[in-house]
Amino acid sequence: MGMELLGIDIGGSGIKGAPVDLDRGVLAAERLRVDTPQPAEPEPVARVLAEIVDHFGWTGPVGVTFPGVVIDGVTLSAANVSKKWLGLNARDLFATATGRDVTVVNDADAAGIAEMRHGAGRGADGTVVVLTLGTGIGSALFTEGVLVPNTEFGHLEINGREAEARASARVRDEEGLSWEKWAHRLSRYLRHLEALISPSLIVLGGGVSKKSDKFVPLLKGVRAPIVPAALVNNAGIVGAAMAAADGAAAVRHRGLQIDQPAAFHTARQAARDDHAAS
């Protein structure tokens, strides 16, 4: 059996955790989901984390995702949770609440790390962007397999409105948009993002990626190949555990180098050549 670490993913509606088999990038036990306390303030969230740690009888390090900017364990933005997180040392709070060593990482970065090593981004070189379409739009940016942490491309403005207020999965539900209408908005956002960073691959994650066949074929005007995430809703948990394994210093100081065999680079280039020829 490979090395296991506990990953916990803090979301706007649910907090999910499970031990992760790091070698295979899969959950090593059935995940536990607890509703996110409302309002999602630091102390109640920390208590849920302790509950999840106790549920699994976990004694080792823990990786935790947070829906906002995280630098050095401190949470510096809070778009969809309580403003009490601003400037808070979440790593210390969680470590005290759980009695464990804790690594805290941005939620989209965690999902991206998991997708790059075990999912749809595996073997991709160049610039890769992983987007999580959910309550908002999270982003993770990689260049040659190295994470550029804490990008917030969901907050790009299009016609004076934040992209996530126009094109997140939550907006599709709330406004009752058809797949066509939503794909039109998402295309516009992706074209804007492509104009700024020219990615060689776009990976679309979040729960809605399970229904990628309904909207990915409708996306128009984007040069880069667009693929659905492979780990879907477990990407955050897997990436949290991976971040804990790699240690906060790796994420903080030198980016996170995703180990990818050369064969995958070759396969990805062949796929790109096919794409260009078609």
Side-chain angles (χ1 to χ4, degrees):
M1 189 175 76
M3 181 180 172
E4 291 181 13
L5 274 181
L6 184 66
I8 301 177
D9 188 18
I10 299 174
S13 58
I15 299 175
K16 308 178 287 282
V20 173
D21 178 330
L22 293 168
D23 293 335
R24 297 187 300 137
V26 296
L27 304 191
E30 190 175 335
R31 72 182 192 180
L32 174 66
R33 183 192 184 279
V34 179
D35 286 346
T36 304
Q38 300 300 336
E41 294 183 348
E43 298 289 347
V45 167
R47 284 196 289 274
V48 172
L49 262 54
E51 187 184 324
I52 293 172
V53 167
D54 290 346
H55 171 82
F56 291 106
W58 195 257
T59 54
V62 179
V64 179
T65 77
F66 178 79
V69 172
V70 182
I71 296 179
D72 227 358
V74 176
T75 47
L76 296 177
S77 74
N80 296 303
V81 288
S82 161
K83 298 297 177 229
K84 290 186 179 174
W85 291 95
L86 295 173
L88 182 86
N89 192 321
R91 183 176 56 210
D92 286 356
L93 174 73
F94 297 159
T96 302
T98 61
R100 305 288 176 268
D101 284 337
V102 175
T103 298
V104 186
V105 64
N106 170 269
D107 59 347
D109 285 348
I113 289 165
E115 287 294 334
M116 289 297 285
R117 194 174 294 172
H118 294 292
R122 186 162 182 185
D125 47 14
T127 300
V128 180
V129 64
V130 180
L131 299 172
T132 54
L133 306 170
T135 308
I137 298 176
S139 60
L141 182 67
F142 296 84
T143 176
E144 305 304 344
V146 178
L147 172 68
V148 181
N150 292 307
T151 54
E152 289 283 352
F153 294 137
H155 298 302
L156 282 174
E157 284 193 9
I158 299 173
N159 281 6
R161 286 182 70 200
E162 287 197 349
E164 64 177 29
R166 293 177 49 82
S168 70
R170 175 176 59 91
V171 168
R172 186 186 76 82
D173 290 339
E174 285 180 357
E175 296 187 18
L177 299 175
S178 65
W179 289 110
E180 287 80 6
K181 204 157 248 166
W182 186 58
H184 177 74
R185 289 191 186 186
L186 192 54
S187 296
R188 179 137 192 226
Y189 166 61
L190 294 176
R191 290 196 298 270
H192 185 60
L193 183 59
E194 183 168 67
L196 297 175
I197 61 170
S198 302
S200 45
L201 180 69
I202 298 170
V203 179
L204 298 182
V208 75
S209 62
K210 280 186 291 208
K211 299 176 178 170
S212 59
D213 57 317
K214 302 234 190 269
F215 67 93
V216 170
L218 303 174
L219 298 171
K220 291 187 171 67
V222 182
R223 285 190 312 275
I226 300 170
V227 297
L231 286 83
V232 194
N233 272 344
N234 291 335
I237 297 175
V238 172
M242 288 171 61
D246 288 310
V251 175
R252 193 165 70 243
H253 293 311
R254 61 175 191 278
L256 193 60
Q257 181 69 47
I258 306 302
D259 49 347
Q260 297 178 337
F264 283 101
H265 291 268
T266 315
R268 175 69 70 191
Q269 190 56 53
R272 264 203 216 114
D273 294 344
D274 289 349
H275 183 81
S278 61

